[in-house]
Amino acid sequence: GGSAGGNNVSHASSQFDPSVPFFVSQASQAPPEALARAWRKSSVGTSLFGGLAASEKEHRLTNCSWRLWGIALTKERAACARLTQRAAAGYGTEIPEDSDVEDDRNESSTSLKNAASSGEDEPEIKEEAPSELPLWRQPTITWAPPRITPNLYVVMVSIHGLVRGEEMELGKDADTGGQVKYVVDMARELGRHPHVARVDLFTRLVGPNIDGVDESYSVPLEPLDGPDGRSFVRRLQCGDSSVYYPKEQLWPHLREYSDRCVPVIQQTLAALNAQSDDRIRLACVHGHYADAGEIAANVACTLGVPMVLTGHSLGRNKLEHLLRGGRISPAEVEKKYNISRRIEGEERALNVADIVITSTAQEIAEQWALYDGYAPRLASVLRKTAASTRYGRSMALMKVIPPGVG
């Protein structure tokens, strides 16, 4: 049924019309026999009472229409790719049928025999196009690996804690923990990727001259992989640099920090393009935790690039656990953790993010599902019906990547 439907559905000719149900627009272009088979399959009962509800039939038929559309799109892309290859090889854009090719070969053979019997010179034989020959007669094509050029600039943001590449002071305070090691190791490894030209891990500049805080955290630029490496820690002022704020007190300064990031990123990108023969582009802005997620959302929207978000831990889930224990009141939670502002930052970041990186599927189902910006069932529908996202309906793609997995 899919093959028959795919030959008759034209993706290029179909236009999106919000007033016409998608299935109606596709069914009108599909052959009757394909629709008849689809209806018979959708009418097969799976319940004890031998039949499906009307809504279930409608869902099955809708899914069938999406399959027909997908097959048609795949075939059209394959045909376009074949025409492009032929045009590049100088054989034109018309693909002869197999019968025509066979007739041409028979005609050539007959003309050769007639020429030999009459004593005429043999006509010149033109080499057939490789795509007109069967696979076993096509010439061997030597494959050469494509040239890999580092043309991506990746920006990461992790704002709280004490971040540096060497001798990390993990556990020095509540904000300097596993996330610091995670982002530093990630930036270092990304900088070694052959497609990446540079990675900047943005964090805040702290000090100098703060009791208990090393002066290395006041250095604006720190290489992570040696002087010739491509990954760096870049420190910018966030609030008063002479004060080491805990993460709960950073919220008033995040927009100011976002404004400082934008020109630095633009200048770095311009310098990279000035030094390279290939065009280098800003691949994404990746925010870690709620505070850096809000910064990443501001920067990504300003520069018009994709945003990636890693939550590490989530405010709604934390609030639920704290209140469930009964040892602390909602007012005390708000005063100690500034939890409502954190949740607001997470919602803002989630609304802008193109991809959300999670460690487990449980984090998606039981934690991100608590947020207004993510609905698992709606996200599944939007992901399977990708065409609808072109008309303003989109939701972040949840991607499970456990720590340590490249």
Side-chain angles (χ1 to χ4, degrees):
S3 177
N7 291 329
N8 292 274
V9 181
S10 174
H11 171 68
S13 62
S14 62
Q15 300 293 330
F16 175 77
D17 185 354
S19 64
V20 179
F22 179 77
F23 174 71
V24 174
S25 65
Q26 293 299 302
S28 62
Q29 304 175 58
E33 60 272 14
L35 295 177
R37 283 194 295 271
W39 178 258
R40 285 197 298 272
K41 289 182 180 180
S42 69
S43 301
V44 175
T46 56
S47 66
L48 296 176
F49 301 98
L52 295 176
S55 60
E56 181 63 21
K57 290 182 181 180
E58 182 180 351
H59 290 163
R60 289 196 177 188
L61 289 173
T62 303
N63 291 337
C64 176
S65 72
W66 280 112
R67 291 183 63 189
L68 290 173
W69 177 82
I71 292 171
L73 180 61
T74 301
K75 288 190 173 184
E76 184 173 335
R77 285 175 175 170
C80 291
R82 188 178 177 189
L83 290 174
T84 302
Q85 292 174 357
R86 288 178 56 80
Y91 299 125
T93 57
E94 295 183 0
I95 303 178
E97 300 291 338
D98 292 341
S99 59
D100 296 337
V101 176
E102 195 64 34
D103 291 342
D104 292 342
R105 292 175 188 158
N106 294 335
E107 184 179 345
S108 299
S109 177
T110 303
S111 63
L112 284 175
K113 291 179 181 179
N114 294 337
S117 61
S118 61
E120 298 177 359
D121 294 335
E122 293 185 2
E124 180 182 356
I125 303 175
K126 295 183 179 181
E127 183 180 357
E128 292 177 313
S131 59
E132 298 175 358
L133 299 173
L135 291 177
W136 60 274
R137 289 188 59 190
Q138 289 186 15
T140 303
I141 300 176
T142 303
W143 179 84
R147 184 173 67 96
I148 298 178
T149 57
N151 60 351
L152 300 178
Y153 174 36
V154 179
V155 170
M156 299 171 56
V157 186
S158 182
I159 194 71
H160 66 255
L162 298 170
V163 181
R164 67 183 181 188
E166 302 297 332
E167 299 180 3
M168 289 177 276
E169 299 180 294
L170 304 181
K172 181 179 179 65
D173 56 63
D175 296 343
T176 308
Q179 179 180 326
V180 172
K181 180 171 176 56
Y182 180 95
V183 296
V184 169
D185 289 348
M186 182 179 181
R188 186 179 283 123
E189 290 301 319
L190 280 176
R192 297 170 182 171
H193 194 281
H195 289 290
V196 175
R198 180 180 174 116
V199 179
D200 276 342
L201 171 56
F202 281 77
T203 189
R204 58 176 165 162
L205 186 145
V206 182
N209 304 321
I210 299 180
D211 292 341
V213 178
D214 191 84
E215 292 192 0
S216 60
Y217 299 109
S218 64
V219 177
L221 189 67
E222 175 191 349
L224 285 177
D225 208 11
D228 298 326
R230 294 179 291 187
S231 54
F232 302 85
V233 173
R234 189 181 284 275
R235 300 182 179 92
L236 301 178
Q237 183 177 345
C238 182
D240 187 351
S241 60
S242 64
V243 178
Y244 178 57
Y245 299 99
K247 60 178 178 288
E248 291 81 10
Q249 299 177 17
L250 284 172
W251 297 105
H253 310 292
L254 298 186
R255 294 190 179 183
E256 167 200 345
Y257 188 87
S258 303
D259 291 339
R260 287 195 170 100
C261 287
V262 171
V264 173
I265 294 171
Q266 292 173 325
Q267 293 166 11
T268 303
L269 188 59
L272 289 172
N273 279 296
Q275 299 169 4
S276 174
D277 296 332
D278 300 296
R279 177 180 174 272
I280 297 175
R281 62 183 179 87
L282 179 57
C284 66
V285 182
H286 188 169
H288 294 263
Y289 197 77
D291 45 18
E294 183 167 319
I295 294 171
N298 295 336
V299 174
C301 288
T302 302
L303 298 177
V305 297
M307 178 201 162
V308 183
L309 173 64
T310 301
H312 293 277
S313 68
L314 299 179
R316 287 194 188 276
N317 185 65
K318 182 171 184 175
L319 176 62
E320 189 178 81
H321 281 281
L322 289 172
L323 297 180
R324 187 183 302 165
R327 299 180 180 179
I328 186 170
S329 67
E332 292 173 326
V333 172
E334 181 64 31
K335 181 179 179 180
K336 182 176 181 180
Y337 298 105
N338 206 353
I339 200 73
S340 62
R341 183 63 181 86
R342 173 180 173 180
I343 293 172
E344 179 187 346
E346 290 166 341
E347 291 282 11
R348 287 180 177 177
L350 183 58
N351 286 335
V352 176
D354 295 275
I355 299 176
V356 176
I357 307 298
T358 71
S359 300
T360 63
Q362 179 270 345
E363 183 180 342
I364 301 173
E366 300 182 14
Q367 298 184 43
W368 280 115
L370 300 174
Y371 285 78
D372 298 335
Y374 182 73
R377 293 184 63 181
L378 178 58
S380 177
V381 171
L382 292 176
R383 186 166 61 252
K384 293 176 182 177
T385 57
S388 63
T389 62
R390 295 198 295 268
Y391 305 100
R393 300 177 63 192
S394 61
M395 192 166 287
L397 172 65
M398 296 286 172
K399 186 68 175 177
V400 178
I401 304 179
V405 177

Coordinates of all heavy atoms in Angstrom, one line a residue, residues 232-264:
F232 N 38.5 27.1 25.8 CA 38.9 28.1 26.8 C 37.8 28.4 27.8 O 36.7 28.2 27.5 CB 39.2 29.4 26.0 CG 40.3 29.4 25.0 CD1 40.0 28.9 23.7 CD2 41.6 29.7 25.3 CE1 40.9 28.9 22.7 CE2 42.6 29.6 24.3 CZ 42.2 29.2 23.0
V233 N 38.3 28.8 29.0 CA 37.3 29.4 30.0 C 37.4 30.9 29.8 O 38.5 31.5 29.9 CB 37.7 28.9 31.4 CG1 36.8 29.7 32.4 CG2 37.6 27.4 31.6
R234 N 36.3 31.5 29.6 CA 36.2 32.9 29.5 C 35.4 33.5 30.6 O 34.2 33.2 30.8 CB 35.6 33.3 28.1 CG 35.7 34.8 27.8 CD 35.1 35.1 26.5 NE 35.9 34.7 25.3 CZ 36.9 35.4 24.8 NH1 37.2 36.6 25.3 NH2 37.5 34.9 23.8
R235 N 36.0 34.4 31.4 CA 35.4 35.0 32.6 C 35.0 36.4 32.3 O 35.8 37.2 31.9 CB 36.3 34.9 33.8 CG 36.7 33.4 34.1 CD 37.5 33.4 35.4 NE 37.9 32.0 35.7 CZ 39.0 31.4 35.3 NH1 39.8 32.0 34.5 NH2 39.2 30.1 35.6
L236 N 33.7 36.7 32.6 CA 33.2 38.1 32.5 C 32.5 38.5 33.8 O 32.1 37.6 34.6 CB 32.1 38.2 31.4 CG 32.6 37.8 30.0 CD1 31.4 37.9 29.0 CD2 33.7 38.6 29.5
Q237 N 32.5 39.8 34.1 CA 31.9 40.3 35.3 C 30.4 40.0 35.4 O 29.7 40.2 34.4 CB 32.2 41.8 35.4 CG 31.7 42.4 36.7 CD 32.0 43.9 36.8 OE1 32.8 44.4 36.1 NE2 31.4 44.6 37.7
C238 N 30.0 39.5 36.5 CA 28.5 39.3 36.8 C 28.2 39.9 38.1 O 28.5 39.3 39.2 CB 28.2 37.8 36.8 SG 26.5 37.4 37.0
G239 N 27.6 41.1 38.1 CA 27.4 41.8 39.4 C 28.8 42.4 39.8 O 29.6 42.8 39.0
D240 N 28.9 42.5 41.1 CA 30.2 43.1 41.7 C 31.2 42.0 41.8 O 31.0 41.0 42.5 CB 29.9 43.6 43.1 CG 31.1 44.4 43.7 OD1 32.2 44.3 43.1 OD2 30.9 45.0 44.8
S241 N 32.3 42.1 41.0 CA 33.3 41.1 41.0 C 34.1 40.9 42.3 O 34.8 40.0 42.4 CB 34.3 41.4 39.8 OG 35.0 42.6 40.0
S242 N 33.9 41.9 43.2 CA 34.6 41.8 44.4 C 33.8 41.0 45.5 O 34.2 40.8 46.6 CB 34.9 43.2 45.0 OG 33.7 43.9 45.3
V243 N 32.6 40.5 45.0 CA 31.8 39.7 45.9 C 31.6 38.3 45.3 O 31.3 38.2 44.1 CB 30.4 40.4 46.1 CG1 29.5 39.6 47.0 CG2 30.6 41.8 46.7
Y244 N 31.7 37.3 46.1 CA 31.5 35.9 45.6 C 30.0 35.6 46.0 O 29.7 35.2 47.1 CB 32.5 35.0 46.2 CG 32.2 33.5 45.8 CD1 32.2 33.2 44.4 CD2 32.0 32.5 46.7 CE1 32.0 31.9 44.0 CE2 31.8 31.2 46.3 CZ 31.8 30.9 45.0 OH 31.6 29.6 44.6
Y245 N 29.1 35.7 45.0 CA 27.7 35.5 45.3 C 27.4 34.0 45.3 O 27.9 33.3 44.4 CB 26.8 36.1 44.2 CG 26.9 37.6 44.1 CD1 27.7 38.2 43.1 CD2 26.2 38.5 44.9 CE1 27.8 39.6 43.0 CE2 26.3 39.8 44.8 CZ 27.1 40.4 43.8 OH 27.2 41.8 43.7
P246 N 26.6 33.5 46.2 CA 26.0 32.1 46.0 C 25.0 32.2 44.9 O 24.5 33.2 44.5 CB 25.4 31.8 47.3 CG 25.1 33.2 47.9 CD 26.1 34.1 47.4
K247 N 24.7 31.0 44.3 CA 23.9 31.0 43.1 C 22.5 31.5 43.3 O 21.9 32.0 42.4 CB 23.8 29.5 42.5 CG 23.2 28.5 43.4 CD 23.2 27.1 42.7 CE 22.6 26.1 43.6 NZ 23.5 25.7 44.7
E248 N 22.0 31.4 44.5 CA 20.7 32.0 44.8 C 20.6 33.5 44.7 O 19.5 34.1 44.6 CB 20.2 31.5 46.2 CG 19.9 30.0 46.3 CD 21.2 29.2 46.6 OE1 22.2 29.9 46.8 OE2 21.1 28.0 46.5
Q249 N 21.7 34.2 44.7 CA 21.8 35.6 44.7 C 22.2 36.2 43.3 O 22.4 37.4 43.2 CB 22.7 36.2 45.8 CG 22.2 35.8 47.2 CD 23.1 36.3 48.3 OE1 24.0 37.2 48.0 NE2 23.0 35.8 49.5
L250 N 22.4 35.3 42.3 CA 22.9 35.7 41.0 C 21.8 36.2 40.1 O 22.1 36.9 39.1 CB 23.6 34.5 40.3 CG 25.0 34.2 40.9 CD1 25.5 32.9 40.2 CD2 26.0 35.4 40.6
W251 N 20.5 35.9 40.4 CA 19.5 36.2 39.5 C 19.4 37.7 39.0 O 19.1 37.9 37.8 CB 18.1 35.7 40.1 CG 18.1 34.3 40.3 CD1 18.2 33.6 41.5 CD2 18.0 33.3 39.3 NE1 18.1 32.2 41.3 CE2 18.0 32.0 40.0 CE3 17.8 33.3 37.9 CZ2 17.9 30.8 39.3 CZ3 17.7 32.1 37.2 CH2 17.7 30.9 37.9
P252 N 19.5 38.7 39.9 CA 19.4 40.0 39.4 C 20.5 40.5 38.4 O 20.3 41.5 37.7 CB 19.5 40.9 40.7 CG 19.2 39.9 41.8 CD 19.7 38.6 41.4
H253 N 21.5 39.7 38.3 CA 22.7 40.1 37.5 C 22.8 39.3 36.1 O 23.7 39.5 35.4 CB 24.0 39.9 38.2 CG 24.0 40.5 39.6 ND1 24.0 41.8 39.8 CD2 24.0 39.9 40.8 CE1 24.0 42.1 41.1 NE2 24.0 40.9 41.8
L254 N 21.8 38.4 35.9 CA 21.9 37.5 34.7 C 21.7 38.3 33.4 O 22.4 38.0 32.4 CB 20.9 36.4 34.8 CG 21.1 35.4 36.0 CD1 20.2 34.3 35.9 CD2 22.6 35.0 36.1
R255 N 20.8 39.2 33.3 CA 20.6 39.9 32.1 C 21.8 40.9 31.8 O 22.2 41.0 30.6 CB 19.3 40.7 32.2 CG 18.1 39.8 32.3 CD 16.8 40.6 32.1 NE 15.7 39.7 32.2 CZ 14.4 40.1 32.1 NH1 14.1 41.3 31.8 NH2 13.4 39.2 32.1
E256 N 22.4 41.4 32.8 CA 23.6 42.2 32.6 C 24.7 41.4 32.1 O 25.4 41.8 31.2 CB 24.0 42.8 34.0 CG 25.4 43.4 34.0 CD 25.9 43.6 35.4 OE1 25.1 43.4 36.4 OE2 27.1 43.7 35.6
Y257 N 24.8 40.2 32.6 CA 25.9 39.2 32.1 C 25.6 38.8 30.7 O 26.5 38.7 29.8 CB 25.9 38.0 33.0 CG 27.1 37.1 32.7 CD1 28.3 37.3 33.3 CD2 26.9 36.0 31.8 CE1 29.4 36.4 33.0 CE2 28.0 35.2 31.5 CZ 29.2 35.4 32.2 OH 30.3 34.5 31.9
S258 N 24.3 38.6 30.3 CA 24.0 38.3 28.9 C 24.4 39.4 28.0 O 24.9 39.1 26.9 CB 22.4 38.0 28.8 OG 22.0 37.0 29.7
D259 N 24.2 40.6 28.4 CA 24.6 41.7 27.5 C 26.1 41.8 27.3 O 26.6 42.2 26.3 CB 24.1 43.1 28.2 CG 22.6 43.2 28.1 OD1 22.0 42.5 27.3 OD2 22.0 44.0 28.9
R260 N 26.8 41.4 28.3 CA 28.3 41.4 28.2 C 28.7 40.2 27.3 O 29.8 40.3 26.6 CB 28.9 41.2 29.6 CG 28.9 42.5 30.4 CD 29.8 42.4 31.6 NE 29.9 43.6 32.3 CZ 29.3 43.9 33.4 NH1 28.5 43.0 34.0 NH2 29.5 45.1 34.0
C261 N 28.0 39.1 27.3 CA 28.4 38.0 26.5 C 28.3 38.2 25.0 O 29.2 37.8 24.2 CB 27.6 36.8 26.8 SG 27.9 36.0 28.4
V262 N 27.2 38.9 24.6 CA 26.9 39.1 23.1 C 28.1 39.7 22.3 O 28.5 39.1 21.3 CB 25.6 39.8 22.9 CG1 25.4 40.2 21.5 CG2 24.4 39.0 23.5
P263 N 28.6 40.9 22.7 CA 29.7 41.5 21.9 C 31.0 40.6 21.9 O 31.7 40.6 20.9 CB 29.9 42.8 22.5 CG 29.3 42.8 23.9 CD 28.2 41.8 23.8
V264 N 31.2 40.0 23.0 CA 32.4 39.1 23.1 C 32.3 38.0 22.1 O 33.3 37.6 21.4 CB 32.6 38.6 24.6 CG1 33.8 37.6 24.6 CG2 32.9 39.8 25.5

